[in-house]
Amino acid sequence: MNVKFLGAARQVTGSSYLLESSGRRVLVDHGMFQERAVEWRNWRNAPAEARSVDAVILTHAHLDHCGLLPKLVREGFRGPIFATAPTIDLAEIVLEDSAEIQQEDVEFKRKRHQRDGRTSPHPYDTLYGPEDVRRTIERMRPVRYGESVEVAPGFEARFSEAGHILGSAVVQVRARHDGSERTIAFSGDLGQWNLPIVGDPTLIGEADAVIMESTYGDRDHERTVDIETQLAEIVRETVRGGGNVVIPTFAIERAQEVLLHLSENLLGGRMPGVPVFLDSPMAIDATEVFLRHPAFMDERARATIASGRLQAAARWVRLCRTREQSRSINDHRGPCIILAGSGMCTAGRIKHHLVRNLGRPESAIVFVGYQASGTLGREILEGRPEVRIHGRMHDVRAQVRAILGLSAHAGRSDLLRWLRGFSRPPKRLFLTHGEESVSLAFAERVREELHWDVVVPEYLEEREVTA
Ligand code: ZN
């Protein structure tokens, strides 16, 4: 069996691996490149001719893992896409959103060029449209955790809990050829142990080769006080002062985690009963998907849902799907909590809430996720006295807080813990899905601690999997 690294090689996004054995081709993930410097790769032709790919295995619904699948379908892929049921439902939300954003970007660019009297050397085109997304979702086949499925002749895949987002999977792929057999374990994106909602990452017994993400291969997440307590404290203080709590949040997983923590706090009487506005159609859709798939949650979350406690907390939660509902938050008198996207404040409704709250010393902006450098979120978090939103400068007088420890990604210790779960070293470990310096540093760490053969592959590098 051969593996070709089509993305997430010495950078983070664009996860995609092409497996070939006995003339059959299987893709594991086919994600979008999101770092500016490598975005052009999204426009390259499919890795192998799209028609020649027999099947796709999808580890989870994040855009950097599924974002180019509709393009593959547009280019002629006609095989099945295997994923868990929550991954299929979440991928539909993520891909529809992506098609919409691409269309908006193209329109925006066309108008700007028109205004400036320029013409673009490139056609005003999107990678794919809503119709390609629909045809992609139609190709998806649900797989359960623990189940082995034949994805293509000679290829078998087994999905298990990865603990990253709902439905995320670690996948073991087995390829048979001329009486011999090779196995590769794909970590997908690994979560931390003891995250709310999802279970813990599954340890894999053995494999000939392992392909693992290394996003946080150089550090561990800080977690001093538990998250629910941190949230309760901030809300109590802010409400006492008469301000609003504004939480920029990612629509999938983080929004549901924060909602769960807020619900527990409200029901436990640890914070005052103020309205919680969920101002994000995408997060509302994702929350509905979560509630449809309790079987993919950990025991505690399942019990919370079964007990009816969440329904009891729902009386504080106001869902804002339409623009009118979103604007109506401005009419609310008295303190409230506002969850809105995007998670790094780069777009979306959160910007309006920031405009209204940044200048108020009694309000709090609470970060619950990673803020990449260059984003508005990062500027606020770093303590800039003023920031630009919608072309205007705004003073930052609100409290700026960050809740530590919330990450859907395994930290360095978690990554090592997952590797130690193998009963014998694989022939080779490939580290992907990390900034180059981070993956290289983690490779060194694994060599020192476990004495494994570790490779950090290059973009488009090809390797044979040996036994
Ligand atoms: Zn992910």
Side-chain angles (χ1 to χ4, degrees), residues 46 77 117 128 147 170 219 234 241 246 250 253 260 289 305 315 318 329-330 339 389 434:
F77 170 71
Y128 48 82
E147 184 185 7
V170 167
R219 70 204 110 136
I234 294 171
V246 178
F250 299 97
E253 199 72 25
L260 184 66
V289 170
I305 290 176
R315 69 188 142 114
R318 316 262 165 94
I329 300 173
N330 302 336
L339 274 70
I389 303 176

Side-chain angles (χ1 to χ4, degrees), residues 60-65 164-165 188-189 408-409 433:
H60 66 288
H62 276 151
L63 195 64
D64 63 322
H65 291 256
H164 172 58
I165 63 169
D189 285 0
H409 276 280
H433 200 292

Side-chain angles (χ1 to χ4, degrees), residues 91-110:
E92 186 172 8
I93 297 173
V94 167
L95 293 173
E96 278 174 358
D97 181 64
S98 164
E100 201 175 306
I101 289 173
Q102 289 178 50
Q103 190 55 43
E104 283 168 9
D105 284 352
V106 164
E107 295 298 331
F108 184 77
K109 199 159 126 189
R110 198 200 312 267

Side-chain angles (χ1 to χ4, degrees), residues 347-376:
R349 295 179 179 178
I350 189 68
K351 287 189 161 186
H352 299 284
H353 299 299
L354 289 172
V355 166
R356 296 185 76 89
N357 286 281
L358 274 176
R360 300 177 61 193
E362 66 274 23
S363 285
I365 317 300
V366 183
F367 291 98
V368 293
Y370 177 69
Q371 305 297 310
S373 76
T375 61
L376 174 59

Side-chain angles (χ1 to χ4, degrees), residues 5 10 210-212 214 427-432 439-440 443 446-447 452-458 461 463:
F5 297 86
R10 300 190 176 224
V210 176
I211 298 182
M212 185 174 76
S214 51
K427 266 272 156 349
R428 189 158 288 152
L429 166 68
F430 296 97
L431 293 178
T432 59
S439 300
L440 291 172
V446 176
R447 286 183 201 112
W452 287 14
D453 182 343
V454 191
V455 168
V456 181
E458 304 270 359
E461 189 170 330
R463 293 280 186 151

Side-chain angles (χ1 to χ4, degrees), residues 18 70-71 113 176 201 210 251 306 375 423 432 460:
L18 180 68
K71 179 170 173 272
H113 284 177
R176 285 194 191 84
V210 176
T375 61
S423 53
T432 59
L460 299 183

